[in-house]
PDB file of all heavy atoms in Angstrom:
ATOM      1  N   LYS A 264      45.256  -8.804  61.595  1.00  0.00           N
ATOM      2  CA  LYS A 264      46.198  -8.942  60.484  1.00  0.00           C
ATOM      3  C   LYS A 264      45.816 -10.114  59.529  1.00  0.00           C
ATOM      4  O   LYS A 264      46.558 -10.377  58.589  1.00  0.00           O
ATOM      5  CB  LYS A 264      47.615  -9.183  61.038  1.00  0.00           C
ATOM      6  CG  LYS A 264      48.163  -7.949  61.751  1.00  0.00           C
ATOM      7  CD  LYS A 264      49.592  -8.184  62.199  1.00  0.00           C
ATOM      8  CE  LYS A 264      50.200  -6.935  62.832  1.00  0.00           C
ATOM      9  NZ  LYS A 264      51.605  -7.138  63.256  1.00  0.00           N
ATOM     10  N   GLY A 265      44.706 -10.753  59.799  1.00  0.00           N
ATOM     11  CA  GLY A 265      44.247 -11.783  58.908  1.00  0.00           C
ATOM     12  C   GLY A 265      44.907 -13.126  59.122  1.00  0.00           C
ATOM     13  O   GLY A 265      44.728 -14.062  58.302  1.00  0.00           O
ATOM     14  N   GLU A 266      45.641 -13.311  60.227  1.00  0.00           N
ATOM     15  CA  GLU A 266      46.390 -14.543  60.444  1.00  0.00           C
ATOM     16  C   GLU A 266      45.546 -15.709  60.963  1.00  0.00           C
ATOM     17  O   GLU A 266      46.013 -16.821  61.014  1.00  0.00           O
ATOM     18  CB  GLU A 266      47.565 -14.262  61.374  1.00  0.00           C
ATOM     19  CG  GLU A 266      48.610 -13.349  60.773  1.00  0.00           C
ATOM     20  CD  GLU A 266      49.757 -13.029  61.675  1.00  0.00           C
ATOM     21  OE1 GLU A 266      49.980 -13.773  62.681  1.00  0.00           O
ATOM     22  OE2 GLU A 266      50.490 -12.035  61.398  1.00  0.00           O
ATOM     23  N   LEU A 267      44.278 -15.411  61.317  1.00  0.00           N
ATOM     24  CA  LEU A 267      43.393 -16.494  61.763  1.00  0.00           C
ATOM     25  C   LEU A 267      42.233 -16.708  60.765  1.00  0.00           C
ATOM     26  O   LEU A 267      41.288 -17.433  61.051  1.00  0.00           O
ATOM     27  CB  LEU A 267      42.828 -16.189  63.136  1.00  0.00           C
ATOM     28  CG  LEU A 267      43.854 -16.138  64.261  1.00  0.00           C
ATOM     29  CD1 LEU A 267      43.165 -16.018  65.614  1.00  0.00           C
ATOM     30  CD2 LEU A 267      44.747 -17.354  64.269  1.00  0.00           C
ATOM     31  N   ALA A 268      42.362 -16.118  59.599  1.00  0.00           N
ATOM     32  CA  ALA A 268      41.379 -16.280  58.520  1.00  0.00           C
ATOM     33  C   ALA A 268      41.788 -17.478  57.638  1.00  0.00           C
ATOM     34  O   ALA A 268      42.859 -18.013  57.791  1.00  0.00           O
ATOM     35  CB  ALA A 268      41.259 -15.014  57.695  1.00  0.00           C
ATOM     36  N   GLY A 269      40.893 -17.833  56.750  1.00  0.00           N
ATOM     37  CA  GLY A 269      41.144 -18.953  55.858  1.00  0.00           C
ATOM     38  C   GLY A 269      40.369 -20.197  56.294  1.00  0.00           C
ATOM     39  O   GLY A 269      40.266 -20.443  57.505  1.00  0.00           O
ATOM     40  N   ILE A 270      39.847 -20.918  55.364  1.00  0.00           N
ATOM     41  CA  ILE A 270      39.042 -22.127  55.664  1.00  0.00           C
ATOM     42  C   ILE A 270      39.729 -23.347  55.083  1.00  0.00           C
ATOM     43  O   ILE A 270      40.072 -23.387  53.899  1.00  0.00           O
ATOM     44  CB  ILE A 270      37.629 -21.994  55.090  1.00  0.00           C
ATOM     45  CG1 ILE A 270      36.903 -20.816  55.764  1.00  0.00           C
ATOM     46  CG2 ILE A 270      36.818 -23.265  55.326  1.00  0.00           C
ATOM     47  CD1 ILE A 270      35.561 -20.474  55.147  1.00  0.00           C
ATOM     48  N   SER A 271      39.950 -24.331  55.941  1.00  0.00           N
ATOM     49  CA  SER A 271      40.594 -25.589  55.532  1.00  0.00           C
ATOM     50  C   SER A 271      39.508 -26.672  55.338  1.00  0.00           C
ATOM     51  O   SER A 271      38.468 -26.627  56.006  1.00  0.00           O
ATOM     52  CB  SER A 271      41.571 -26.007  56.621  1.00  0.00           C
ATOM     53  OG  SER A 271      41.926 -27.369  56.499  1.00  0.00           O
ATOM     54  N   ASP A 272      39.837 -27.652  54.520  1.00  0.00           N
ATOM     55  CA  ASP A 272      38.934 -28.784  54.340  1.00  0.00           C
ATOM     56  C   ASP A 272      39.321 -29.974  55.213  1.00  0.00           C
ATOM     57  O   ASP A 272      38.766 -31.051  55.081  1.00  0.00           O
ATOM     58  CB  ASP A 272      38.881 -29.234  52.876  1.00  0.00           C
ATOM     59  CG  ASP A 272      40.174 -29.909  52.425  1.00  0.00           C
ATOM     60  OD1 ASP A 272      41.213 -29.801  53.143  1.00  0.00           O
ATOM     61  OD2 ASP A 272      40.179 -30.551  51.354  1.00  0.00           O
ATOM     62  N   ALA A 273      40.268 -29.782  56.153  1.00  0.00           N
ATOM     63  CA  ALA A 273      40.792 -30.896  56.922  1.00  0.00           C
ATOM     64  C   ALA A 273      39.724 -31.580  57.793  1.00  0.00           C
ATOM     65  O   ALA A 273      39.708 -32.813  57.850  1.00  0.00           O
ATOM     66  CB  ALA A 273      41.964 -30.407  57.807  1.00  0.00           C
ATOM     67  N   VAL A 274      38.869 -30.790  58.428  1.00  0.00           N
ATOM     68  CA  VAL A 274      37.849 -31.412  59.292  1.00  0.00           C
ATOM     69  C   VAL A 274      36.935 -32.317  58.516  1.00  0.00           C
ATOM     70  O   VAL A 274      36.774 -33.505  58.828  1.00  0.00           O
ATOM     71  CB  VAL A 274      37.061 -30.334  60.101  1.00  0.00           C
ATOM     72  CG1 VAL A 274      35.843 -30.976  60.748  1.00  0.00           C
ATOM     73  CG2 VAL A 274      37.941 -29.722  61.176  1.00  0.00           C
ATOM     74  N   PRO A 275      36.259 -31.813  57.462  1.00  0.00           N
ATOM     75  CA  PRO A 275      35.403 -32.736  56.705  1.00  0.00           C
ATOM     76  C   PRO A 275      36.149 -33.877  56.043  1.00  0.00           C
ATOM     77  O   PRO A 275      35.669 -35.015  55.969  1.00  0.00           O
ATOM     78  CB  PRO A 275      34.714 -31.827  55.690  1.00  0.00           C
ATOM     79  CG  PRO A 275      35.554 -30.617  55.624  1.00  0.00           C
ATOM     80  CD  PRO A 275      36.149 -30.440  56.975  1.00  0.00           C
TER      81      PRO A 275
END
Side-chain angles (χ1 to χ4, degrees):
K264 292 185 177 181
E266 294 178 17
L267 296 187
I270 298 173
S271 164
D272 71 345
V274 168

